[in-house]
């Protein structure tokens, strides 16, 4: 496709979307309603991210913070290096038109004008392409979504899936770097949903950054990253990945009790034989598990990168460390630490999680015995 500009990474390498400390309160008759609670979310250029959560958990509110359709009560929102929380509505509309393509559950095409006119509208609004190029570009976009032969029909002559593809073509009219879609497949049958989803995949492959809210956890699994939101709070992604058998409430509890800790390159996190006190999930850098052998050189048993964890073996075996754990020499390490008391409480609430981690601990123990033997 030649009609998209390649998205270039900013020299400063900021996240494309950066939400910092967002709180959103809605004023209601019953008092303030806390719809978003301390939300931090960073999304890099070119990522395909899904947001999932129960109805009423705050997904649309979150998207509205990014699109500037609504403002946070406190906190900061940066999108493509623009401070969206500080933009007034006048400047917002132009900025949004060039930077964001927005797709809704119910398509929201204008019913009185043709499909192709719907797609040209954002270009007219932003004066983004010379007038005589707009129709040609709109047709090319319709070709991309395989609807060129319907260009001059009214939207209502098209099926739901076709209308959503038109809405996606419209979202791309000004070649925005970012697409935001709120339950774009929520009103489509699963086969149609699949083809719409594939369209998003192709756009990511062409360099777009895409966020979709979805109820469909099957679709969510096919994105690069999933952010789970519960009662207005974002569940830590690493916590959710490592303990998938926890309920949403338990994941939120784990998120609350997890403490971020950093270690410089090469630093000892804990030494063999010392008292371990936390279950740790690696979130940045590489951790090495080292098996010391008396009178011989150490064996590096494994390297653990982001999304891997340690400290579960010690939890199940008298809380004494079974190996040394250190940050790799390659760079600093960041972990999320859940203290054993709180970790124990979580496992008391989820037998499945206890079982899974216990099995894993036993398996690692066996591997370590084997490694020490082989290396000896
Ligand atoms: P989701 O998209 O996850 O279903 P929303 O972000 O739409 O959830 O809503 C989150 C919560 O905030 C809900 O409890 C909803 O009732 C409430 N809410 C949303 N918009 C408003 C509003 N304008 N005024 C008051 N409450 C609102
Ligand atoms: Mg919603």
């Amino acid at each position: 496709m030649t009609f998209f500009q390649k998205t270039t990474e900013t020299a400063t390498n900021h996240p494309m979307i950066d939400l910092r400390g967002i709180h959103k309160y809605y004023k209601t008759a019953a008092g303030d309603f806390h719809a978003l609670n301390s939300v931090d979310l960073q999304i890099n250029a070119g990522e395909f991210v899904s947001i999932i959560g129960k109805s009423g958990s705050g997904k649309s509110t979150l998207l509205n913070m990014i699109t500037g359709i609504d403002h946070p009560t406190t906190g900061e929102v940066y999108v493509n290096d623009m401070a969206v929380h500080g933009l007034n509505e006048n400047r917002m509309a132009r900025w949004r038109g060039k930077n964001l393509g927005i797709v809704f559950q119910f398509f929201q095409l204008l019913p009185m004008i043709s499909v192709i006119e719907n797609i040209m509208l954002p270009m007219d609004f932003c004066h983004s392409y010379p007038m005589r190029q707009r129709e040609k570009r709109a047709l090319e976009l319709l070709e991309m979504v395989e609807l060129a032969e319907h260009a001059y029909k009214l939207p209502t002559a098209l099926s739901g899936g076709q209308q959503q593809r038109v809405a996606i073509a419209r979202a791309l009219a000004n070649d925005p770097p970012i697409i935001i879609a709120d339950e774009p497949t929520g009103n489509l049958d699963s086969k149609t949903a699949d083809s719409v989803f594939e369209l998003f995949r192709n756009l990511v492959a062409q360099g777009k950054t895409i966020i979709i809210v979805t109820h469909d956890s099957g679709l969510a699994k096919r994105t690069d990253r999933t952010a789970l939101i519960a009662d207005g709070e974002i569940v830590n992604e690493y916590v959710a990945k490592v303990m998938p058998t926890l309920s949403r409430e338990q994941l939120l509890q784990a998120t609350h009790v997890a403490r971020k800790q950093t270690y410089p390159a090469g630093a000892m996190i804990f030494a063999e034989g010392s008292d371990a006190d936390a279950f740790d999930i690696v979130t940045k850098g590489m951790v090495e598990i080292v098996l010391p052998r008396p009178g011989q050189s150490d064996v590096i048993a494994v390297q653990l990168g982001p999304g891997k964890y340690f400290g579960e073996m010690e939890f199940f075996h008298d809380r004494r460390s079974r190996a040394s754990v250190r940050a790799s020499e390659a760079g600093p390490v960041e972990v999320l630490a859940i203290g054993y008391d709180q970790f124990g409480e979580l496992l008391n609430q989820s037998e499945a999680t206890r079982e899974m981690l216990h099995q894993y601990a036993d398996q690692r123990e066996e591997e370590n015995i084997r490694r020490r033997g082989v290396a000896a």
Side-chain angles (χ1 to χ4, degrees):
M1 284 307 134
T2 53
F3 49 97
F4 291 133
Q5 275 175 22
K6 202 149 173 55
T7 310
T8 45
E9 296 240 353
T10 48
T12 43
N13 224 0
H14 293 154
M16 186 65 131
I17 295 167
D18 192 358
L19 303 175
R20 298 190 202 160
I22 302 295
H23 288 268
K24 175 66 182 178
Y25 292 89
Y26 287 118
K27 300 227 174 299
T28 71
D32 280 0
F33 178 79
H34 203 174
L36 292 177
N37 184 355
S38 199
V39 167
D40 286 290
L41 183 65
Q42 281 76 38
I43 294 171
N44 293 320
E47 278 195 299
F48 189 11
V49 177
S50 50
I51 297 178
I52 60 170
K54 285 186 194 149
S55 177
S57 57
K59 303 180 297 296
S60 295
T61 304
L62 179 66
L63 291 190
N64 289 346
M65 301 296 115
I66 299 171
T67 56
I69 288 171
D70 199 358
H71 290 295
T73 310
T74 59
E76 296 173 351
V77 183
Y78 298 91
V79 178
N80 206 6
D81 282 331
M82 173 63 83
V84 176
H85 54 276
L87 270 181
N88 68 32
E89 192 47 44
N90 264 341
R91 291 186 56 212
M92 179 82 71
R94 280 287 136 75
W95 171 83
R96 189 188 294 136
K98 292 202 165 137
N99 286 275
L100 298 173
I102 306 181
V103 179
F104 303 93
Q105 180 175 357
F106 296 104
F107 330 134
Q108 301 193 4
L109 301 171
L110 292 184
M112 310 297 277
I113 59 175
S114 68
V115 160
I116 193 161
E117 285 170 322
N118 265 281
I119 297 173
M120 288 159 65
L121 216 52
M123 297 187 239
D124 296 340
F125 179 71
C126 288
H127 310 293
S128 49
Y129 293 86
M131 200 123 60
R132 65 203 141 66
Q133 282 179 23
R134 290 177 199 163
E135 186 166 3
K136 181 168 172 284
R137 178 174 170 80
L139 260 180
E140 286 172 338
L141 288 166
L142 274 172
E143 267 162 31
M144 187 195 74
V145 299
E146 295 172 14
L147 290 172
E149 75 271 27
H150 301 292
Y152 297 94
K153 295 181 183 167
L154 289 179
T156 46
L158 274 56
S159 72
Q162 290 171 328
Q163 289 189 49
Q164 192 59 303
R165 275 148 60 200
V166 173
I168 292 171
R170 177 184 58 184
L172 293 165
N174 290 323
D175 194 15
I178 301 165
I179 309 286
I180 307 280
D182 197 350
E183 310 211 23
T185 63
N187 201 38
L188 306 175
D189 64 75
S190 65
K191 200 164 156 238
T192 313
D194 221 68
S195 74
V196 165
F197 185 85
E198 274 314 304
L199 209 47
F200 285 122
R201 268 247 77 93
N202 291 341
L203 292 169
V204 171
Q206 289 164 37
K208 302 290 185 198
T209 306
I210 302 191
I211 306 181
I212 61 166
V213 162
T214 179
H215 262 111
D216 185 335
S217 52
L219 285 186
K221 284 205 182 78
R222 289 159 60 191
T223 61
D224 301 335
R225 254 171 84 191
T226 298
L228 170 60
I229 181 163
D231 290 336
E233 290 184 75
I234 299 240
V235 167
N236 184 280
E237 287 169 56
Y238 291 98
V239 169
K241 191 172 171 218
V242 164
M243 297 182 281
T245 40
L246 293 183
S247 72
R248 286 175 182 189
E249 288 68 28
Q250 291 159 352
L251 285 173
L252 211 49
Q253 184 187 336
T255 299
H256 290 157
V257 298
R259 295 280 161 263
K260 186 159 93 179
Q261 287 174 346
T262 51
Y263 298 93
M268 189 65 91
I269 298 175
F270 55 70
E272 192 198 29
S274 64
D275 290 332
D277 59 5
F279 174 67
D280 293 86
I281 305 169
V282 183
T283 55
K284 273 192 198 139
M286 277 286 180
V287 160
E288 293 169 348
I289 310 285
V290 185
L291 303 177
R293 296 173 303 163
Q296 296 175 69
S297 61
D298 297 345
V299 195
I300 295 176
V302 260
Q303 287 199 317
L304 306 175
K308 298 288 194 283
Y309 53 87
F310 56 91
E312 85 293 348
M313 282 168 62
E314 291 74 11
F315 179 80
F316 293 111
H317 297 104
D318 72 25
R319 303 193 174 190
R320 180 139 303 187
S321 42
R322 327 284 291 167
S324 300
V325 179
R326 69 182 182 212
S328 123
E329 294 289 348
V333 160
E334 199 179 280
V335 302
L336 279 174
I338 302 177
Y340 279 157
D341 289 350
Q342 290 151 329
F343 186 57
E345 267 176 44
L346 279 167
L347 298 193
N348 286 343
Q349 297 171 46
S350 172
E351 201 45 48
T353 308
R354 176 189 292 278
E355 188 62 20
M356 180 200 77
L357 291 173
H358 202 159
Q359 271 186 21
Y360 190 67
D362 287 348
Q363 186 187 324
R364 271 182 161 178
E365 180 80 9
E366 274 174 32
E367 278 168 18
N368 284 353
I369 290 168
R370 189 175 48 76
R371 279 202 184 86
R372 282 185 217 246
V374 168

